[in-house]
Amino acid sequence: GVAGAGIQGGAGSALALDPSTDVFSGDGSASSFTLAASVVAAMVFYNGQLLPGADYTITGTSLALGFTPASGESIIVRAFKA
């Protein structure tokens, strides 16, 4: 890529990426959380550690973890909105 050109889509068109961050705190019982908007790509962090994709699913605005976070544990979703 060319420095300063930004992220490019097909045929050299610029992609319209809209980044977002959702922050949640575990309560010891919930393993599903509602995102502010649907996303096209995401990274999920649990207590600052990047989770592998096998540990969660995102469908629409729903984040489902494959485990139940303990009370007070941090879940951060950094994503690009659809």
Side-chain angles (χ1 to χ4, degrees), residues 22-26 33 44-46 63 65 69 73-77:
D22 288 283
V23 179
F24 306 100
S25 183
F33 303 89
V44 179
F45 297 87
Y46 180 66
L63 165 66
L65 298 175
E73 301 293 284
S74 168
I75 303 103
I76 298 175
V77 181

Side-chain angles (χ1 to χ4, degrees), residues 8-13:
Q8 298 294 309
S13 62

Side-chain angles (χ1 to χ4, degrees), residues 17-75:
L17 298 177
D18 188 5
S20 66
T21 300
D22 288 283
V23 179
F24 306 100
S25 183
D27 64 6
S29 63
S31 61
S32 295
F33 303 89
T34 302
L35 304 174
S38 293
V39 301
V40 295
M43 293 183 296
V44 179
F45 297 87
Y46 180 66
N47 288 332
Q49 299 295 311
L50 179 63
L51 288 177
D55 287 356
Y56 66 90
T57 57
I58 297 176
T59 305
T61 59
S62 178
L63 165 66
L65 298 175
F67 60 94
T68 302
S71 182
E73 301 293 284
S74 168
I75 303 103

